[in-house]
Amino acid sequence: MSELVLYIGNKNYSSWSFRPWFALRALEIEFTEKLVPFDMAAGNPAFAEFSPTNKVPVLEHGHLRVWESLAIMEYLNDLFYTKHVWPHEHDNRAHARAISCEMLSGFSALQSECPMNMRREPAPLDVSEAAKRDVRRIEDIWRECLERHGGPFLFGQLTAADAMFAPVVNRFDIYRLSEDPAALSYMDHIKSLPAWKEWEAAGRAESWIVEEDEV
């Protein structure tokens, strides 16, 4: 099998890069990381060399390139079915995909007001009512999944759904957005994983600053 290559942006800020990287590392799928940093609001012109959208992440596999985090998850599931990238049970798989699509297309207030930032020291942030609604909805999603499947991850064992929500764990943590016991317990489990700790340490060590993401 050809080598998997994942192009990503800054580990401190790039939430969409974090999602497939986290899935690959946590599920122990071998890949090569290629980090192309951005220190400007518009990204980096060098992204055009490997990305048709001039954005990251992009997964390269031989002659094939797959962009968009959720599409990358689907491709990984096709390649590594035994890794349980998605739950094997069809009803759980459908549920996991539904909440992942909701993460992909929703929660715009939370994402715009509360950028992912691995270096930020935790401190409360005053957010809009729209962002608070996003927080409550995510808490409901997490609580329902954890109660139904018994934890410690959304579908019992770690899947792509956890990877899709991993940047939210950072947001909830550094901006002190949730006091829900189920959410806090889930966040602790995610943050305890070696994959999380590796990404977080690398993000904290970066020198690039994107002013608009420093909230």
Side-chain angles (χ1 to χ4, degrees):
M1 180 181 290
S2 301
E3 179 184 44
L4 293 173
V5 178
L6 184 68
Y7 290 88
I8 62 173
N10 305 31
K11 289 184 174 178
N12 189 51
Y13 303 113
S14 185
S15 59
W16 290 106
S17 295
F18 186 29
R19 290 174 166 97
W21 187 99
F22 183 75
L24 283 159
R25 187 68 91 226
L27 294 172
E28 299 182 342
I29 298 172
E30 292 293 326
F31 72 103
T32 296
E33 167 193 313
K34 290 192 176 181
L35 192 154
V36 183
F38 56 87
D39 56 5
M40 57 203 84
N44 186 332
F47 290 171
E49 298 174 10
F50 57 83
S51 173
T53 61
N54 292 340
K55 296 178 181 179
V56 286
V58 173
L59 183 71
E60 184 178 78
H61 187 209
H63 68 279
L64 177 66
R65 285 180 178 169
V66 184
W67 59 98
E68 299 293 344
S69 295
L70 196 52
I72 292 171
M73 303 292 194
E74 293 290 353
Y75 186 65
L76 294 175
N77 188 68
D78 290 343
L79 288 180
F80 302 101
Y81 185 72
T82 60
K83 293 287 187 179
H84 295 262
V85 179
W86 293 115
H88 281 184
E89 303 82 1
H90 70 89
D91 53 343
N92 291 339
R93 187 165 61 250
H95 186 194
R97 284 172 166 153
I99 64 172
S100 296
C101 285
E102 187 174 353
M103 181 69 254
L104 176 69
S105 62
F107 310 120
S108 58
L110 175 66
Q111 296 192 65
S112 63
E113 294 177 36
C114 304
M116 190 180 87
N117 188 330
M118 290 289 171
R119 280 196 303 260
R120 188 183 193 271
E121 291 304 314
L125 181 69
D126 188 21
V127 299
S128 69
E129 285 302 316
K132 291 176 182 177
R133 286 194 296 272
D134 287 347
V135 170
R136 290 193 295 270
R137 172 57 187 152
I138 291 168
E139 289 174 338
D140 288 345
I141 290 171
W142 289 358
R143 192 182 309 108
E144 179 186 2
C145 287
L146 294 168
E147 289 176 357
R148 180 181 299 182
H149 301 289
F153 304 110
L154 297 179
F155 292 86
Q157 66 185 63
L158 189 138
T159 69
D162 299 287
M164 288 297 292
F165 281 92
V168 173
V169 172
N170 172 257
R171 291 178 166 105
F172 277 21
D173 184 30
I174 63 172
Y175 301 113
R176 295 297 191 244
L177 296 176
S178 178
E179 296 181 352
D180 180 82
L184 295 175
S185 176
Y186 173 66
M187 290 161 57
D188 285 342
H189 281 292
I190 294 293
K191 291 189 296 178
S192 72
L193 294 173
W196 175 282
K197 293 179 178 180
E198 180 184 346
W199 179 282
E200 181 182 43
R204 286 180 170 271
E206 290 176 349
S207 59
W208 307 295
I209 301 293
V210 179
E211 292 294 343
E212 68 173 12
D213 288 337
E214 293 293 329
V215 178

